Amino acid sequence: MSRTVAKVPPLLESLYHMFLNALDPRGFATVWQRQTPALQGILLMCLSTLAFSIMHGLVRFVSEALPPFQIAFFRNLFGLAFLMPLLMRSRFTMLRTNRIGLHALRGVVNILAMLMFFTALSISPLAKVTALSFTAPIFMAVLAVLFLGERFQIYRWLAIFAGFAGMLIILRPGLVALDTGALLVTGSASLWAVAMIIIKILSRTESSVTIVAYMGIFLGLFSVIPAWWVWEPFGLATLGWMILIGLFGSIAQMALSQALKETDPTALMPFDFLKLIWTAIIGAWFFSEIPDVFTWIGAAVIFSSGLAIAFRERQKTGSASKQCLENQE
């Protein structure tokens, strides 16, 4: 009696051939170019979530030796160093703008959000911080109605209420004590939502390259004073870890930007949930942090709510999910 051999799914077959050619750069490049833009975007998105998660784990590790404000400064310093060659190559033409004040406001909001987020990473479980960070698109949906004059839609408010219900599942106020880290990351998510609204306004007249360039410049400038305020001496080993923070942060941003060029943002958003899986593994392996069932359930509810909003907004403008993904730490 003959046996039927199961057919290998095309995605797994592509990944298998890419793995075989990984040691040969020319072979890998050839295999990569043969992939569809959708698959390239998905793989880059997965790489981005992994790099962001490693960066968060490194921030948590280094925060045992240095204040989070100082770590944020070096994260932005190395990010700005990576941006400088691009600025010089364009002969700084990407900095042409008539809305410098709005760019500066976005920088202020972003640095406040980053400082709160890095502080939360230093004192709260990684998975819990990641789960609560998924509330940013929910806050953005509320602000879009209040400040951008977007129409009331029943699906939007149902998703918003579901998202905040997921947040309550994680926080469980009245049942467990509200820790400072959870409050900080929730505040950080709300500030990221404000930054996304500013991006939405800027995008009416500014290119995405100009918006990113000014973000890097202002984050670098605005993080100097907070870092100087809490500055502590450190050794070469600590400097090496902070270089890695900057490296993985840059890899994450580059992979995310390229993924958004290759693939529709709404096709990528489901893979953003991988950040919770990566951070749960890193937290358990290196910091003995095991996320409870409420964190997983709440994160799933919050993420599903944000995903629902993004898919519905895509039918109208196609831009909401891209802004949610681009405005990451």
Side-chain angles (χ1 to χ4, degrees), residues 130-189:
T130 302
L132 288 172
S133 70
F134 290 143
T135 57
I138 311 300
F139 285 114
M140 180 187 174
V142 176
L143 294 175
V145 173
L146 296 178
F147 296 104
L148 296 182
E150 296 191 4
R151 293 173 54 191
F152 175 93
Q153 299 286 346
I154 187 64
Y155 78 84
R156 184 197 295 264
W157 290 108
L158 288 175
I160 288 170
F161 289 137
F164 285 122
M167 185 173 67
L168 292 176
I169 291 173
I170 297 174
L171 297 178
R172 285 165 288 156
L175 298 178
V176 297
L178 288 176
D179 61 283
T180 304
L183 296 177
L184 283 172
V185 72
T186 304
S188 174

Side-chain angles (χ1 to χ4, degrees), residues 60-128:
R60 175 62 180 275
F61 175 71
V62 177
S63 66
E64 297 176 0
L66 292 178
F69 288 13
Q70 194 170 345
I71 299 172
F73 165 73
F74 280 98
R75 161 70 181 93
N76 293 323
L77 177 65
F78 291 120
L80 187 57
F82 175 78
L83 183 63
M84 284 306 296
L86 298 177
L87 290 173
M88 291 187 291
R89 188 184 306 169
S90 70
R91 297 183 180 180
F92 297 94
T93 56
M94 63 175 62
L95 297 181
R96 292 175 182 170
T97 181
N98 294 320
R99 314 191 75 175
I100 189 68
L102 201 55
H103 284 290
L105 177 61
R106 189 265 175 110
V108 171
V109 173
N110 256 117
I111 193 61
L112 290 174
M114 178 179 282
L115 294 177
M116 293 172 72
F117 188 79
F118 275 30
T119 303
L121 284 173
S122 70
I123 59 178
S124 289
L126 291 175
K128 187 175 185 178

Side-chain angles (χ1 to χ4, degrees), residues 250-327:
S250 297
I251 291 173
Q253 289 288 0
M254 285 190 298
L256 178 59
S257 297
Q258 188 62 34
L260 290 169
K261 290 180 181 179
E262 300 290 347
T263 313
D264 188 277
T266 51
L268 298 177
M269 279 200 73
F271 295 91
D272 199 39
F273 196 79
L274 285 172
K275 283 194 293 189
L276 181 59
I277 297 175
W278 303 138
T279 52
I281 293 172
I282 292 171
W285 188 270
F286 294 100
F287 305 105
S288 301
E289 299 172 355
I290 308 297
D292 57 33
V293 66
F294 295 103
T295 299
W296 289 104
I297 294 174
V301 173
I302 293 169
F303 191 79
S304 298
S305 302
L307 197 60
I309 292 174
F311 271 94
R312 288 303 299 266
E313 291 299 310
R314 177 181 178 272
Q315 298 175 3
K316 298 190 299 180
T317 64
S319 62
S321 53
K322 185 173 182 179
Q323 289 158 356
C324 292
L325 289 172
E326 282 186 330
N327 196 62

Side-chain angles (χ1 to χ4, degrees), residues 47-58 75 78 240-256 329:
L47 173 62
S48 174
T49 61
L50 179 60
F52 271 126
S53 301
I54 293 174
M55 185 191 77
H56 295 166
L58 289 171
R75 161 70 181 93
F78 291 120
W241 289 115
M242 289 191 290
I243 291 174
L244 285 178
I245 290 174
L247 174 63
F248 280 105
S250 297
I251 291 173
Q253 289 288 0
M254 285 190 298
L256 178 59
E329 66 285 342

Side-chain angles (χ1 to χ4, degrees), residues 32-46:
W32 179 259
Q33 291 170 1
R34 290 175 181 172
Q35 309 311 309
T36 63
L39 179 57
Q40 290 180 358
I42 289 170
L43 293 175
L44 286 168
M45 183 66 186
C46 293

